[in-house]
Amino acid sequence: MSEGIHRAAAEGFGTAARAYERGRPSYPPEAVAFVVETLGVGSGCTVLDLGAGTGKLTRLLEPTGARMVAVEPIAAMLVELVTRSTSAHALSGTAEAIPLTDAAVDAVVVAQAFHWFDGERALAEIHRVLRPGGRLALAFNRRDENDALMARLGEIFEPYRRGTPSHRHDEWRRAFDRTELFAPLQQRAFAHAQGQTPDEVAARVLSISFVAALPLAERDIVAREVRDLLSTHPHAAGREEILMPYRTDVYWCERV
């Protein structure tokens, strides 16, 4: 296990990087445009994507002309990022020990990752590498469990969570409540739906950290239950593309 990284993340994402890239949703254009405008991302700007994963958000920000720096601790995820990114400078590192000099970046983005961090240590490091007046934005895709299919999928995999960190209950926000390094968080929500094939939906479930970290026999049980559900549920059965609804929450704050 990588030092300082939660076991579920180190083991799960280390084995499921390709499934993560294939199955995890992207971010809606409206949310990306909002991040670009709010953080002032553009040509001549250096942006750090922290906990960048396979680079899903990194790649969406590259067309702005900003210099993208992607920091990710899981080697397999970093390989996927480098394979798909056109220009990002990729570095191995953690949020608690960012491999950059002081005041090195104009903006920081964290997509689907802050709940894995030691929040207070990460905010101190983000403050250190941000230039004065720089901003931080977080993005989370949240499953819409008012949707019957999403709710049933959750019933299959949630029993395996067993205390694994999650962004869904907002415990990660406590670090922001305690810090004086950043102005108060602000929030905006965006509706988001992603069309996926049944194979991509299965990959999405199998890419969940605590599912990917399960022993093979248990992981096979989850995969079988997901495929059985997709073959029988009225929202999925017989469909080549299944509409998976999400809500994308964007949070942002300014360095003080």
Side-chain angles (χ1 to χ4, degrees), residues 13-42:
F13 294 142
T15 60
R18 288 187 180 180
Y20 189 104
E21 174 60 30
R22 185 181 187 192
R24 290 299 181 101
S26 185
Y27 299 91
E30 298 83 2
V32 176
F34 180 77
V35 168
V36 169
E37 179 180 1
T38 303
L39 270 60
V41 175

Side-chain angles (χ1 to χ4, degrees), residues 76-126:
M77 301 283 267
L78 206 57
V79 168
E80 293 292 321
L81 185 153
V82 171
T83 299
R84 291 170 171 80
S85 171
T86 60
S87 61
H89 180 51
L91 298 171
S92 177
T94 67
E96 297 81 12
I98 300 171
L100 295 174
T101 57
D102 295 356
V105 303
D106 300 288
V108 177
V109 295
V110 182
Q112 217 71 24
F114 196 90
H115 56 291
W116 291 110
F117 301 167
D118 179 324
E120 293 185 39
R121 290 176 59 200
L123 287 177
E125 276 290 272
I126 292 168

Side-chain angles (χ1 to χ4, degrees), residues 31 36 50 62 68 76 83 86-87 93-94 123-124 128 137 153 155 159 215 222 227 230 245:
V36 169
L50 187 57
E62 284 178 330
M68 295 300 303
T83 299
T86 60
S87 61
T94 67
L123 287 177
R128 179 183 66 79
L153 285 169
E155 290 172 3
V222 173
R227 293 199 177 276
L230 297 179

Side-chain angles (χ1 to χ4, degrees), residues 171-228:
E171 292 180 7
W172 56 268
R173 296 188 65 155
R174 294 177 183 174
F176 287 90
D177 294 337
R178 290 191 290 262
T179 189
E180 297 181 353
L181 299 177
F182 290 87
L185 273 180
Q186 301 182 66
Q187 178 183 1
R188 184 166 171 181
F190 300 84
H192 181 30
Q194 180 138 335
Q196 294 187 299
T197 67
D199 284 345
E200 289 169 342
V201 175
R204 190 264 176 273
V205 173
L206 294 175
S207 77
I208 297 171
S209 59
F210 57 86
V211 174
L214 289 171
L216 181 59
E218 287 185 278
R219 197 161 68 243
D220 286 345
I221 291 172
V222 173
R224 184 167 62 251
E225 290 183 359
V226 168
R227 293 199 177 276
D228 287 347

Side-chain angles (χ1 to χ4, degrees), residues 232-244:
T232 57
H233 196 281
H235 291 182
R239 300 188 183 187
E240 294 184 2
E241 184 176 81
I242 304 165
L243 195 64
M244 306 296 288

